[in-house]
Amino acid sequence: MAQENYIEQIKGNDYKLPMQYIPSGSFTMGSAKSEEGHFGDEGPQHLVSVDGFWMGQYEITWDLYNLFVSRELDGNQISNKQNAEVALDVDAVSGATTPYVEMSFGMGIDNYPAICMTQLAAVKFCEWLSAMTGRFYRLPTEAEWEYACRAGTETAYSFEDDSTQLAEYAWYAENSNDKYQEVGSKKANPWGLYDMHGNVAEWTLDQYIPTVYGQRISGVANPWVEGDKVYPKTVRGGSWMDAPNRLRSASRRPSSKKWKRRDPQIPKSKWWHTDAPFVGFRVVRPLKTPTTEEQKKYWNYELTQ
């Protein structure tokens, strides 16, 4: 049914990906200048409407992401494509190269968030997952992400304005012990999503433009800042390395080529950000399935890193 949560699973693997239904609605995007921790790129505030979608209850973990890197289960792609949202041969999906160093940096694999991937890699993971399951998956837009994070609230965090309760909901600089933690080990937000604040920051689809909010008409529907530049793209949510103000619902962060600084490869990998152990992602599935041509637009980001 359209408004039911469900669990995604790839044939031949025990890993389960719970998907939470997020109903359509409107919200005020951005933050007021009076909000503690406010940055200039979070304004002006404006009304945004968003169509319904499902969102991963948790950040994508290494358990699932490594299946995309290894591609060992590609032979288990769904065989009945008659009623599938996606008609795509998994062999046509570009695969990530094996990193030259162990990208969890010893912080944990089982049930821990995958990190250090470029936005291109996150996008291609979504394409791969779509091919494997027959359901259309992609990264969230920045507007979808903030809408889901706020979960009907208008405060700085999804629980209140004051950060004193933050440790109940998030892993961040003050309580993370200098590493990411298992997903879902803190309280969920009001819509049942875990780690929207902290643990790892999360990729969105949008090009990062600091002044983009000032270019919008209030009431805009499903905004998405498409971009043709590799940098910067928009990251949301803050991470285990960040102070509380970076974990606020409205907080935005641009990606940077500096996130590859220690990559010794020439050319540098388009799949991995060696210096971004704070970045991961989660997936969404829109209630209305895009056309085949629209799907390609979400996935074919060869310039996107």
Side-chain angles (χ1 to χ4, degrees), residues 128-174:
W128 171 82
L129 183 63
S130 301
M132 291 297 293
T133 63
R135 295 188 178 100
F136 173 72
Y137 290 101
R138 58 168 171 80
L139 291 181
T141 64
E142 201 180 352
E144 288 169 337
W145 193 96
E146 185 172 329
Y147 175 64
C149 179
R150 289 189 176 280
T153 66
E154 297 181 353
T155 47
Y157 306 92
S158 62
F159 47 91
E160 61 175 24
D161 281 315
D162 190 349
S163 64
T164 54
Q165 294 183 40
L166 189 57
E168 297 179 33
Y169 294 85
W171 296 107
Y172 61 112
E174 293 178 19

mmCIF file of all heavy atoms in Angstrom, residues 128-174:
data_model
loop_
_atom_site.group_PDB
_atom_site.id
_atom_site.type_symbol
_atom_site.label_atom_id
_atom_site.label_comp_id
_atom_site.label_asym_id
_atom_site.label_seq_id
_atom_site.Cartn_x
_atom_site.Cartn_y
_atom_site.Cartn_z
ATOM 1 N N TRP A 128 22.261 1.192 -8.598
ATOM 2 C CA TRP A 128 22.493 -0.253 -8.409
ATOM 3 C C TRP A 128 21.375 -0.882 -7.577
ATOM 4 O O TRP A 128 20.846 -1.935 -7.947
ATOM 5 C CB TRP A 128 23.844 -0.456 -7.721
ATOM 6 C CG TRP A 128 24.119 -1.860 -7.281
ATOM 7 C CD1 TRP A 128 24.592 -2.891 -8.045
ATOM 8 C CD2 TRP A 128 23.935 -2.394 -5.961
ATOM 9 N NE1 TRP A 128 24.711 -4.033 -7.285
ATOM 10 C CE2 TRP A 128 24.315 -3.751 -5.994
ATOM 11 C CE3 TRP A 128 23.499 -1.851 -4.757
ATOM 12 C CZ2 TRP A 128 24.265 -4.572 -4.867
ATOM 13 C CZ3 TRP A 128 23.441 -2.664 -3.632
ATOM 14 C CH2 TRP A 128 23.822 -4.004 -3.695
ATOM 15 N N LEU A 129 21.000 -0.233 -6.464
ATOM 16 C CA LEU A 129 19.933 -0.765 -5.612
ATOM 17 C C LEU A 129 18.624 -0.832 -6.383
ATOM 18 O O LEU A 129 17.845 -1.783 -6.221
ATOM 19 C CB LEU A 129 19.785 0.114 -4.365
ATOM 20 C CG LEU A 129 18.769 -0.338 -3.324
ATOM 21 C CD1 LEU A 129 19.169 -1.684 -2.731
ATOM 22 C CD2 LEU A 129 18.626 0.714 -2.219
ATOM 23 N N SER A 130 18.381 0.159 -7.227
ATOM 24 C CA SER A 130 17.161 0.177 -8.043
ATOM 25 C C SER A 130 17.145 -0.994 -9.011
ATOM 26 O O SER A 130 16.131 -1.681 -9.181
ATOM 27 C CB SER A 130 17.072 1.498 -8.815
ATOM 28 O OG SER A 130 17.048 2.606 -7.954
ATOM 29 N N ALA A 131 18.289 -1.239 -9.664
ATOM 30 C CA ALA A 131 18.389 -2.355 -10.608
ATOM 31 C C ALA A 131 18.192 -3.693 -9.899
ATOM 32 O O ALA A 131 17.530 -4.600 -10.419
ATOM 33 C CB ALA A 131 19.735 -2.319 -11.320
ATOM 34 N N MET A 132 18.748 -3.821 -8.718
ATOM 35 C CA MET A 132 18.682 -5.088 -7.985
ATOM 36 C C MET A 132 17.280 -5.403 -7.484
ATOM 37 O O MET A 132 16.878 -6.556 -7.412
ATOM 38 C CB MET A 132 19.653 -5.053 -6.801
ATOM 39 C CG MET A 132 21.125 -5.068 -7.187
ATOM 40 S SD MET A 132 21.635 -6.583 -8.041
ATOM 41 C CE MET A 132 21.463 -7.794 -6.717
ATOM 42 N N THR A 133 16.517 -4.355 -7.123
ATOM 43 C CA THR A 133 15.218 -4.566 -6.470
ATOM 44 C C THR A 133 14.019 -4.286 -7.368
ATOM 45 O O THR A 133 12.905 -4.722 -7.052
ATOM 46 C CB THR A 133 15.098 -3.665 -5.233
ATOM 47 O OG1 THR A 133 15.142 -2.282 -5.650
ATOM 48 C CG2 THR A 133 16.246 -3.930 -4.254
ATOM 49 N N GLY A 134 14.226 -3.523 -8.451
ATOM 50 C CA GLY A 134 13.109 -3.138 -9.299
ATOM 51 C C GLY A 134 12.339 -1.944 -8.791
ATOM 52 O O GLY A 134 11.378 -1.497 -9.421
ATOM 53 N N ARG A 135 12.750 -1.368 -7.646
ATOM 54 C CA ARG A 135 12.141 -0.156 -7.103
ATOM 55 C C ARG A 135 13.086 1.017 -7.329
ATOM 56 O O ARG A 135 14.297 0.879 -7.191
ATOM 57 C CB ARG A 135 11.838 -0.308 -5.607
ATOM 58 C CG ARG A 135 10.785 -1.360 -5.285
ATOM 59 C CD ARG A 135 10.427 -1.271 -3.803
ATOM 60 N NE ARG A 135 9.393 -2.212 -3.436
ATOM 61 C CZ ARG A 135 9.599 -3.395 -2.831
ATOM 62 N NH1 ARG A 135 10.835 -3.766 -2.543
ATOM 63 N NH2 ARG A 135 8.602 -4.188 -2.530
ATOM 64 N N PHE A 136 12.536 2.186 -7.641
ATOM 65 C CA PHE A 136 13.355 3.344 -7.957
ATOM 66 C C PHE A 136 13.852 4.032 -6.688
ATOM 67 O O PHE A 136 13.060 4.513 -5.886
ATOM 68 C CB PHE A 136 12.572 4.347 -8.808
ATOM 69 C CG PHE A 136 13.320 5.633 -9.032
ATOM 70 C CD1 PHE A 136 14.415 5.670 -9.880
ATOM 71 C CD2 PHE A 136 12.951 6.792 -8.375
ATOM 72 C CE1 PHE A 136 15.126 6.848 -10.072
ATOM 73 C CE2 PHE A 136 13.644 7.978 -8.562
ATOM 74 C CZ PHE A 136 14.745 7.999 -9.411
ATOM 75 N N TYR A 137 15.172 4.089 -6.542
ATOM 76 C CA TYR A 137 15.798 4.769 -5.411
ATOM 77 C C TYR A 137 16.734 5.870 -5.909
ATOM 78 O O TYR A 137 17.322 5.769 -6.984
ATOM 79 C CB TYR A 137 16.602 3.774 -4.558
ATOM 80 C CG TYR A 137 15.738 2.800 -3.799
ATOM 81 C CD1 TYR A 137 15.555 1.486 -4.251
ATOM 82 C CD2 TYR A 137 15.103 3.190 -2.619
ATOM 83 C CE1 TYR A 137 14.754 0.598 -3.553
ATOM 84 C CE2 TYR A 137 14.301 2.294 -1.908
ATOM 85 C CZ TYR A 137 14.139 1.008 -2.388
ATOM 86 O OH TYR A 137 13.340 0.139 -1.687
ATOM 87 N N ARG A 138 16.854 6.908 -5.085
ATOM 88 C CA ARG A 138 17.780 8.012 -5.378
ATOM 89 C C ARG A 138 18.160 8.688 -4.072
ATOM 90 O O ARG A 138 17.641 8.338 -2.996
ATOM 91 C CB ARG A 138 17.131 9.024 -6.330
ATOM 92 C CG ARG A 138 15.830 9.642 -5.823
ATOM 93 C CD ARG A 138 15.436 10.830 -6.675
ATOM 94 N NE ARG A 138 14.113 11.364 -6.394
ATOM 95 C CZ ARG A 138 13.800 12.169 -5.391
ATOM 96 N NH1 ARG A 138 14.721 12.529 -4.492
ATOM 97 N NH2 ARG A 138 12.564 12.634 -5.246
ATOM 98 N N LEU A 139 19.048 9.668 -4.167
ATOM 99 C CA LEU A 139 19.338 10.508 -3.017
ATOM 100 C C LEU A 139 18.180 11.475 -2.788
ATOM 101 O O LEU A 139 17.466 11.827 -3.724
ATOM 102 C CB LEU A 139 20.622 11.311 -3.242
ATOM 103 C CG LEU A 139 21.942 10.560 -3.279
ATOM 104 C CD1 LEU A 139 23.090 11.540 -3.499
ATOM 105 C CD2 LEU A 139 22.172 9.763 -2.008
ATOM 106 N N PRO A 140 17.993 11.949 -1.556
ATOM 107 C CA PRO A 140 16.974 12.974 -1.316
ATOM 108 C C PRO A 140 17.435 14.321 -1.839
ATOM 109 O O PRO A 140 18.636 14.617 -1.888
ATOM 110 C CB PRO A 140 16.858 13.000 0.211
ATOM 111 C CG PRO A 140 18.200 12.548 0.699
ATOM 112 C CD PRO A 140 18.680 11.547 -0.308
ATOM 113 N N THR A 141 16.487 15.151 -2.253
ATOM 114 C CA THR A 141 16.816 16.544 -2.504
ATOM 115 C C THR A 141 17.061 17.213 -1.155
ATOM 116 O O THR A 141 16.680 16.688 -0.094
ATOM 117 C CB THR A 141 15.679 17.281 -3.223
ATOM 118 O OG1 THR A 141 14.522 17.308 -2.351
ATOM 119 C CG2 THR A 141 15.323 16.594 -4.544
ATOM 120 N N GLU A 142 17.658 18.373 -1.194
ATOM 121 C CA GLU A 142 17.898 19.099 0.048
ATOM 122 C C GLU A 142 16.580 19.429 0.746
ATOM 123 O O GLU A 142 16.477 19.344 1.977
ATOM 124 C CB GLU A 142 18.683 20.375 -0.255
ATOM 125 C CG GLU A 142 19.412 20.928 0.934
ATOM 126 C CD GLU A 142 20.195 22.187 0.650
ATOM 127 O OE1 GLU A 142 20.319 22.602 -0.513
ATOM 128 O OE2 GLU A 142 20.669 22.778 1.636
ATOM 129 N N ALA A 143 15.555 19.789 -0.024
ATOM 130 C CA ALA A 143 14.255 20.117 0.565
ATOM 131 C C ALA A 143 13.614 18.891 1.202
ATOM 132 O O ALA A 143 13.060 18.962 2.310
ATOM 133 C CB ALA A 143 13.332 20.704 -0.502
ATOM 134 N N GLU A 144 13.666 17.741 0.519
ATOM 135 C CA GLU A 144 13.118 16.506 1.094
ATOM 136 C C GLU A 144 13.839 16.154 2.383
ATOM 137 O O GLU A 144 13.212 15.734 3.370
ATOM 138 C CB GLU A 144 13.248 15.364 0.088
ATOM 139 C CG GLU A 144 12.303 15.454 -1.086
ATOM 140 C CD GLU A 144 12.644 14.453 -2.183
ATOM 141 O OE1 GLU A 144 13.810 13.997 -2.256
ATOM 142 O OE2 GLU A 144 11.743 14.142 -2.983
ATOM 143 N N TRP A 145 15.154 16.325 2.361
ATOM 144 C CA TRP A 145 15.935 15.963 3.546
ATOM 145 C C TRP A 145 15.513 16.819 4.745
ATOM 146 O O TRP A 145 15.253 16.292 5.837
ATOM 147 C CB TRP A 145 17.434 16.120 3.283
ATOM 148 C CG TRP A 145 18.255 15.478 4.356
ATOM 149 C CD1 TRP A 145 18.805 14.229 4.342
ATOM 150 C CD2 TRP A 145 18.557 16.035 5.651
ATOM 151 N NE1 TRP A 145 19.438 13.980 5.543
ATOM 152 C CE2 TRP A 145 19.297 15.069 6.357
ATOM 153 C CE3 TRP A 145 18.272 17.260 6.260
ATOM 154 C CZ2 TRP A 145 19.757 15.285 7.654
ATOM 155 C CZ3 TRP A 145 18.727 17.472 7.571
ATOM 156 C CH2 TRP A 145 19.464 16.498 8.246
ATOM 157 N N GLU A 146 15.438 18.132 4.559
ATOM 158 C CA GLU A 146 15.086 19.001 5.692
ATOM 159 C C GLU A 146 13.652 18.767 6.149
ATOM 160 O O GLU A 146 13.360 18.776 7.354
ATOM 161 C CB GLU A 146 15.295 20.473 5.331
ATOM 162 C CG GLU A 146 15.051 21.395 6.514
ATOM 163 C CD GLU A 146 15.427 22.842 6.260
ATOM 164 O OE1 GLU A 146 16.371 23.098 5.477
ATOM 165 O OE2 GLU A 146 14.776 23.724 6.854
ATOM 166 N N TYR A 147 12.761 18.531 5.200
ATOM 167 C CA TYR A 147 11.364 18.237 5.527
ATOM 168 C C TYR A 147 11.276 16.987 6.406
ATOM 169 O O TYR A 147 10.578 16.981 7.436
ATOM 170 C CB TYR A 147 10.590 18.036 4.231
ATOM 171 C CG TYR A 147 9.147 17.615 4.377
ATOM 172 C CD1 TYR A 147 8.201 18.439 4.982
ATOM 173 C CD2 TYR A 147 8.712 16.387 3.863
ATOM 174 C CE1 TYR A 147 6.874 18.054 5.086
ATOM 175 C CE2 TYR A 147 7.389 15.996 3.957
ATOM 176 C CZ TYR A 147 6.466 16.832 4.578
ATOM 177 O OH TYR A 147 5.144 16.447 4.676
ATOM 178 N N ALA A 148 12.010 15.945 6.027
ATOM 179 C CA ALA A 148 11.988 14.701 6.795
ATOM 180 C C ALA A 148 12.680 14.860 8.141
ATOM 181 O O ALA A 148 12.254 14.278 9.145
ATOM 182 C CB ALA A 148 12.657 13.586 5.989
ATOM 183 N N CYS A 149 13.741 15.641 8.169
ATOM 184 C CA CYS A 149 14.456 15.870 9.422
ATOM 185 C C CYS A 149 13.585 16.626 10.417
ATOM 186 O O CYS A 149 13.494 16.253 11.588
ATOM 187 C CB CYS A 149 15.739 16.647 9.144
ATOM 188 S SG CYS A 149 16.713 17.026 10.629
ATOM 189 N N ARG A 150 12.936 17.680 9.945
ATOM 190 C CA ARG A 150 12.077 18.482 10.832
ATOM 191 C C ARG A 150 10.891 17.681 11.336
ATOM 192 O O ARG A 150 10.446 17.849 12.468
ATOM 193 C CB ARG A 150 11.598 19.731 10.100
ATOM 194 C CG ARG A 150 12.700 20.753 9.864
ATOM 195 C CD ARG A 150 12.151 22.060 9.326
ATOM 196 N NE ARG A 150 13.194 23.061 9.197
ATOM 197 C CZ ARG A 150 13.669 23.791 10.182
ATOM 198 N NH1 ARG A 150 13.190 23.626 11.402
ATOM 199 N NH2 ARG A 150 14.616 24.675 9.968
ATOM 200 N N ALA A 151 10.338 16.817 10.491
ATOM 201 C CA ALA A 151 9.229 15.950 10.896
ATOM 202 C C ALA A 151 8.089 16.724 11.540
ATOM 203 O O ALA A 151 7.553 16.349 12.586
ATOM 204 C CB ALA A 151 9.735 14.859 11.847
ATOM 205 N N GLY A 152 7.735 17.849 10.914
ATOM 206 C CA GLY A 152 6.614 18.636 11.400
ATOM 207 C C GLY A 152 6.974 19.676 12.445
ATOM 208 O O GLY A 152 6.099 20.432 12.889
ATOM 209 N N THR A 153 8.235 19.761 12.833
ATOM 210 C CA THR A 153 8.647 20.731 13.838
ATOM 211 C C THR A 153 9.187 22.003 13.175
ATOM 212 O O THR A 153 9.563 21.994 12.000
ATOM 213 C CB THR A 153 9.749 20.165 14.745
ATOM 214 O OG1 THR A 153 10.954 19.952 13.982
ATOM 215 C CG2 THR A 153 9.303 18.842 15.361
ATOM 216 N N GLU A 154 9.229 23.082 13.929
ATOM 217 C CA GLU A 154 9.780 24.348 13.434
ATOM 218 C C GLU A 154 10.925 24.839 14.314
ATOM 219 O O GLU A 154 11.379 25.972 14.189
ATOM 220 C CB GLU A 154 8.672 25.410 13.370
ATOM 221 C CG GLU A 154 7.561 25.054 12.381
ATOM 222 C CD GLU A 154 6.497 26.133 12.314
ATOM 223 O OE1 GLU A 154 6.550 27.088 13.120
ATOM 224 O OE2 GLU A 154 5.604 26.015 11.451
ATOM 225 N N THR A 155 11.392 23.974 15.196
ATOM 226 C CA THR A 155 12.473 24.319 16.110
ATOM 227 C C THR A 155 13.832 24.018 15.478
ATOM 228 O O THR A 155 13.914 23.430 14.403
ATOM 229 C CB THR A 155 12.316 23.543 17.425
ATOM 230 O OG1 THR A 155 12.046 22.153 17.122
ATOM 231 C CG2 THR A 155 11.161 24.094 18.238
ATOM 232 N N ALA A 156 14.901 24.419 16.152
ATOM 233 C CA ALA A 156 16.251 24.240 15.609
ATOM 234 C C ALA A 156 16.580 22.773 15.373
ATOM 235 O O ALA A 156 17.254 22.411 14.402
ATOM 236 C CB ALA A 156 17.281 24.864 16.554
ATOM 237 N N TYR A 157 16.105 21.919 16.274
ATOM 238 C CA TYR A 157 16.261 20.473 16.137
ATOM 239 C C TYR A 157 14.857 19.860 16.081
ATOM 240 O O TYR A 157 13.870 20.541 16.345
ATOM 241 C CB TYR A 157 17.036 19.902 17.324
ATOM 242 C CG TYR A 157 18.364 20.589 17.558
ATOM 243 C CD1 TYR A 157 18.462 21.670 18.435
ATOM 244 C CD2 TYR A 157 19.520 20.176 16.894
ATOM 245 C CE1 TYR A 157 19.670 22.314 18.650
ATOM 246 C CE2 TYR A 157 20.740 20.814 17.104
ATOM 247 C CZ TYR A 157 20.801 21.888 17.972
ATOM 248 O OH TYR A 157 21.999 22.535 18.177
ATOM 249 N N SER A 158 14.768 18.592 15.774
ATOM 250 C CA SER A 158 13.445 17.977 15.640
ATOM 251 C C SER A 158 12.788 17.700 16.987
ATOM 252 O O SER A 158 11.691 17.145 17.037
ATOM 253 C CB SER A 158 13.558 16.670 14.850
ATOM 254 O OG SER A 158 14.390 15.737 15.528
ATOM 255 N N PHE A 159 13.435 18.095 18.063
ATOM 256 C CA PHE A 159 12.850 17.907 19.394
ATOM 257 C C PHE A 159 12.591 19.244 20.092
ATOM 258 O O PHE A 159 11.608 19.404 20.790
ATOM 259 C CB PHE A 159 13.739 17.008 20.265
ATOM 260 C CG PHE A 159 15.203 17.363 20.236
ATOM 261 C CD1 PHE A 159 15.745 18.243 21.143
ATOM 262 C CD2 PHE A 159 16.036 16.808 19.270
ATOM 263 C CE1 PHE A 159 17.086 18.579 21.116
ATOM 264 C CE2 PHE A 159 17.389 17.115 19.232
ATOM 265 C CZ PHE A 159 17.923 18.011 20.152
ATOM 266 N N GLU A 160 13.502 20.232 19.914
ATOM 267 C CA GLU A 160 13.304 21.545 20.532
ATOM 268 C C GLU A 160 14.395 22.493 20.025
ATOM 269 O O GLU A 160 15.248 22.119 19.232
ATOM 270 C CB GLU A 160 13.367 21.458 22.065
ATOM 271 C CG GLU A 160 14.701 20.946 22.577
ATOM 272 C CD GLU A 160 14.793 20.972 24.105
ATOM 273 O OE1 GLU A 160 13.766 20.939 24.796
ATOM 274 O OE2 GLU A 160 15.925 21.018 24.583
ATOM 275 N N ASP A 161 14.374 23.739 20.518
ATOM 276 C CA ASP A 161 15.404 24.710 20.139
ATOM 277 C C ASP A 161 16.695 24.522 20.916
ATOM 278 O O ASP A 161 17.779 24.786 20.416
ATOM 279 C CB ASP A 161 14.896 26.144 20.376
ATOM 280 C CG ASP A 161 13.960 26.600 19.254
ATOM 281 O OD1 ASP A 161 14.292 26.378 18.086
ATOM 282 O OD2 ASP A 161 12.908 27.165 19.573
ATOM 283 N N ASP A 162 16.558 24.081 22.153
ATOM 284 C CA ASP A 162 17.711 23.954 23.039
ATOM 285 C C ASP A 162 18.455 22.646 22.747
ATOM 286 O O ASP A 162 17.842 21.592 22.592
ATOM 287 C CB ASP A 162 17.219 23.969 24.492
ATOM 288 C CG ASP A 162 18.350 24.095 25.482
ATOM 289 O OD1 ASP A 162 19.515 23.969 25.082
ATOM 290 O OD2 ASP A 162 18.053 24.315 26.671
ATOM 291 N N SER A 163 19.779 22.706 22.691
ATOM 292 C CA SER A 163 20.570 21.515 22.373
ATOM 293 C C SER A 163 20.832 20.628 23.589
ATOM 294 O O SER A 163 21.546 19.627 23.472
ATOM 295 C CB SER A 163 21.910 21.931 21.759
ATOM 296 O OG SER A 163 22.690 22.658 22.686
ATOM 297 N N THR A 164 20.259 20.954 24.744
ATOM 298 C CA THR A 164 20.573 20.179 25.949
ATOM 299 C C THR A 164 20.120 18.722 25.843
ATOM 300 O O THR A 164 20.687 17.857 26.505
ATOM 301 C CB THR A 164 19.916 20.813 27.199
ATOM 302 O OG1 THR A 164 18.509 20.982 26.968
ATOM 303 C CG2 THR A 164 20.536 22.171 27.491
ATOM 304 N N GLN A 165 19.103 18.439 25.012
ATOM 305 C CA GLN A 165 18.642 17.063 24.833
ATOM 306 C C GLN A 165 19.316 16.356 23.654
ATOM 307 O O GLN A 165 19.002 15.206 23.349
ATOM 308 C CB GLN A 165 17.126 17.032 24.599
ATOM 309 C CG GLN A 165 16.278 17.471 25.776
ATOM 310 C CD GLN A 165 14.802 17.327 25.468
ATOM 311 O OE1 GLN A 165 14.358 16.361 24.846
ATOM 312 N NE2 GLN A 165 14.017 18.295 25.894
ATOM 313 N N LEU A 166 20.256 17.032 23.006
ATOM 314 C CA LEU A 166 20.825 16.509 21.771
ATOM 315 C C LEU A 166 21.448 15.126 21.936
ATOM 316 O O LEU A 166 21.346 14.270 21.046
ATOM 317 C CB LEU A 166 21.871 17.490 21.230
ATOM 318 C CG LEU A 166 22.420 17.226 19.830
ATOM 319 C CD1 LEU A 166 21.295 17.175 18.801
ATOM 320 C CD2 LEU A 166 23.447 18.292 19.447
ATOM 321 N N ALA A 167 22.060 14.859 23.065
ATOM 322 C CA ALA A 167 22.728 13.575 23.279
ATOM 323 C C ALA A 167 21.763 12.398 23.271
ATOM 324 O O ALA A 167 22.177 11.254 23.062
ATOM 325 C CB ALA A 167 23.502 13.606 24.603
ATOM 326 N N GLU A 168 20.477 12.679 23.474
ATOM 327 C CA GLU A 168 19.493 11.593 23.415
ATOM 328 C C GLU A 168 19.168 11.197 21.985
ATOM 329 O O GLU A 168 18.666 10.096 21.735
ATOM 330 C CB GLU A 168 18.200 12.031 24.118
ATOM 331 C CG GLU A 168 18.359 12.320 25.598
ATOM 332 C CD GLU A 168 17.049 12.763 26.226
ATOM 333 O OE1 GLU A 168 15.987 12.280 25.777
ATOM 334 O OE2 GLU A 168 17.085 13.604 27.147
ATOM 335 N N TYR A 169 19.462 12.087 21.031
ATOM 336 C CA TYR A 169 19.078 11.873 19.637
ATOM 337 C C TYR A 169 20.265 11.738 18.678
ATOM 338 O O TYR A 169 20.079 11.291 17.550
ATOM 339 C CB TYR A 169 18.214 13.045 19.151
ATOM 340 C CG TYR A 169 16.879 13.147 19.842
ATOM 341 C CD1 TYR A 169 16.758 13.828 21.061
ATOM 342 C CD2 TYR A 169 15.738 12.558 19.299
ATOM 343 C CE1 TYR A 169 15.541 13.925 21.704
ATOM 344 C CE2 TYR A 169 14.517 12.659 19.937
ATOM 345 C CZ TYR A 169 14.418 13.327 21.146
ATOM 346 O OH TYR A 169 13.201 13.418 21.787
ATOM 347 N N ALA A 170 21.449 12.149 19.112
ATOM 348 C CA ALA A 170 22.540 12.300 18.144
ATOM 349 C C ALA A 170 23.903 11.942 18.719
ATOM 350 O O ALA A 170 24.169 12.117 19.916
ATOM 351 C CB ALA A 170 22.575 13.751 17.641
ATOM 352 N N TRP A 171 24.766 11.471 17.804
ATOM 353 C CA TRP A 171 26.194 11.336 18.081
ATOM 354 C C TRP A 171 26.886 12.544 17.474
ATOM 355 O O TRP A 171 26.752 12.811 16.280
ATOM 356 C CB TRP A 171 26.732 10.048 17.462
ATOM 357 C CG TRP A 171 26.146 8.802 18.049
ATOM 358 C CD1 TRP A 171 25.245 7.951 17.472
ATOM 359 C CD2 TRP A 171 26.429 8.260 19.350
ATOM 360 N NE1 TRP A 171 24.934 6.917 18.324
ATOM 361 C CE2 TRP A 171 25.643 7.081 19.486
ATOM 362 C CE3 TRP A 171 27.247 8.652 20.406
ATOM 363 C CZ2 TRP A 171 25.680 6.294 20.635
ATOM 364 C CZ3 TRP A 171 27.279 7.856 21.552
ATOM 365 C CH2 TRP A 171 26.503 6.695 21.658
ATOM 366 N N TYR A 172 27.628 13.266 18.294
ATOM 367 C CA TYR A 172 28.311 14.466 17.813
ATOM 368 C C TYR A 172 29.606 14.610 18.608
ATOM 369 O O TYR A 172 30.011 13.700 19.359
ATOM 370 C CB TYR A 172 27.409 15.688 17.920
ATOM 371 C CG TYR A 172 26.944 16.050 19.315
ATOM 372 C CD1 TYR A 172 27.388 17.228 19.930
ATOM 373 C CD2 TYR A 172 26.054 15.239 20.019
ATOM 374 C CE1 TYR A 172 26.948 17.572 21.200
ATOM 375 C CE2 TYR A 172 25.619 15.575 21.285
ATOM 376 C CZ TYR A 172 26.071 16.734 21.880
ATOM 377 O OH TYR A 172 25.639 17.070 23.138
ATOM 378 N N ALA A 173 30.308 15.727 18.433
ATOM 379 C CA ALA A 173 31.667 15.855 18.969
ATOM 380 C C ALA A 173 31.752 15.583 20.471
ATOM 381 O O ALA A 173 32.739 15.024 20.952
ATOM 382 C CB ALA A 173 32.214 17.246 18.652
ATOM 383 N N GLU A 174 30.722 15.959 21.219
ATOM 384 C CA GLU A 174 30.792 15.862 22.675
ATOM 385 C C GLU A 174 30.559 14.453 23.220
ATOM 386 O O GLU A 174 30.927 14.177 24.361
ATOM 387 C CB GLU A 174 29.793 16.835 23.298
ATOM 388 C CG GLU A 174 30.140 18.303 23.063
ATOM 389 C CD GLU A 174 29.105 19.248 23.645
ATOM 390 O OE1 GLU A 174 28.330 18.809 24.525
ATOM 391 O OE2 GLU A 174 29.050 20.415 23.215
#
